């Protein structure tokens, strides 16, 4: 994913999206999340795993202030 795509992610999103941004396969991403070893904080909501944009951007070193207001 490009920095622009990352900046336009919603506030939280499914683990699959974070896997794509981190270049992780589906199986590897879910295994890491289940073991508590995913590179960023993972929120478990029922059966779903979600990641926040802020945590992902911080991990990747993308400055979220680069997003223009209202975008």
């Amino acid at each position: 994913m490009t920095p622009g795509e990352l900046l336009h992610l919603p506030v939280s999103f499914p683990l699959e999206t974070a896997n794509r941004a981190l270049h992780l396969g589906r199986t590897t991403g879910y295994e890491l999340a289940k073991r508590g070893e995913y590179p960023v904080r993972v929120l478990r909501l029922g059966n779903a795993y979600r990641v926040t944009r802020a945590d992902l951007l911080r991990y990747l070193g993308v400055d979220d202030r680069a997003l223009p207001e209202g975008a």
Side-chain angles (χ1 to χ4, degrees), residues 1-13 16-23 40 51-67 71:
M1 296 180 89
T2 66
E5 290 172 324
L6 292 168
L7 290 170
H8 284 91
L9 287 170
V11 173
S12 73
F13 42 85
E16 291 89 359
T17 303
N19 287 343
R20 190 165 45 109
L22 296 169
H23 303 282
V40 298
V51 173
T52 66
R53 179 179 61 211
D55 288 337
L56 182 63
L57 294 178
R58 188 176 311 112
Y59 178 79
L60 294 173
V62 176
D63 184 1
D64 62 348
R65 294 173 294 180
L67 183 64

Side-chain angles (χ1 to χ4, degrees), residues 4-47:
E5 290 172 324
L6 292 168
L7 290 170
H8 284 91
L9 287 170
V11 173
S12 73
F13 42 85
L15 191 67
E16 291 89 359
T17 303
N19 287 343
R20 190 165 45 109
L22 296 169
H23 303 282
L24 295 173
R26 179 175 169 34
T27 302
T28 301
Y30 276 95
E31 286 177 4
L32 290 171
K34 286 179 186 178
R35 291 194 311 246
E37 298 175 3
Y38 202 78
V40 298
R41 181 175 56 135
V42 175
L43 307 172
R44 180 136 188 208
L45 304 170
N47 291 331

